[in-house]
Amino acid sequence: MIGSLMMRVSVVVLLAGMLAGIAMGIRQDFTLQPAHAHLNLVGGVLLFLFGLYYRLFPAAAADRLAKLQGWLHIIGGILFPAGIAMVVLDGPAFIALPIVGSLMVVAATALFALIVFRTSRV
Ligand code: HEM
């Protein structure tokens, strides 16, 4: 089920993001702070919340767009912060990565909005 997959991926991402935060603190080098922040918030918190919605509303998970939405968010939510890290560390040659990643996340969120409007009526 896509909701379970999203929650499982999100907790792994969150752990990785927290460990990266600890590493930043220990090294007192905050260069990767924007990657850390986006990984935790987009790939961790948002992914978990969206996955939870699918668990709470089975009609949403049954929507034919749900799988596409979940996979777009999983891939985009990792590619986006990874791309930010590449640009910060290795320069603008890698700018396509965060651009593609962020567009995937926006597309996934637009799909999610559509699914919520279709399925959240009381
Ligand atoms: C063990 C857990 C965590 C550690 C050790 C940690 C560590 C850090 C560190 C060292 C910074 C840089 C602070 C600075 O530049 O002064 C930072 C920034 C940030 N972290 Fe974390 N973090 C953790 C968890 C999280 C989580 C769970 C989230 C979001 C859900 C998060 C979101 C952010 C954001 C948004 C910033 C940027 C803050 C700003 O620009 O002022 N962090 N974190």
Side-chain angles (χ1 to χ4, degrees):
M1 200 247 212
I2 191 67
S4 308
L5 176 70
M6 291 164 77
M7 289 195 293
R8 286 176 181 196
V9 172
S10 76
V11 290
V12 174
V13 164
L14 210 47
L15 271 177
M18 287 178 171
L19 290 174
I22 289 176
M24 284 196 304
I26 291 172
R27 297 167 62 206
Q28 288 293 294
D29 177 355
F30 306 114
T31 316
L32 289 175
Q33 176 190 298
H36 159 84
H38 285 85
L39 186 68
N40 280 336
L41 288 168
V42 179
V45 177
L46 280 186
L47 188 62
F48 188 88
L49 283 177
F50 290 0
L52 190 61
Y53 183 81
Y54 289 131
R55 293 305 307 261
L56 289 177
F57 297 94
D63 192 300
R64 64 194 159 81
L65 292 176
K67 248 191 189 155
L68 173 65
Q69 191 280 328
W71 276 108
L72 264 178
H73 193 124
I74 288 171
I75 297 169
I78 294 171
L79 182 63
F80 181 26
I84 293 174
M86 294 287 282
V87 170
V88 167
L89 294 175
D90 298 319
F94 295 94
I95 194 67
L97 297 178
I99 290 176
V100 171
S102 61
L103 290 177
M104 288 176 84
V105 171
V106 173
T109 304
L111 285 180
F112 189 70
L114 188 64
I115 293 168
V116 168
F117 272 87
R118 277 177 177 174
T119 56
S120 63
R121 244 182 233 124
V122 279

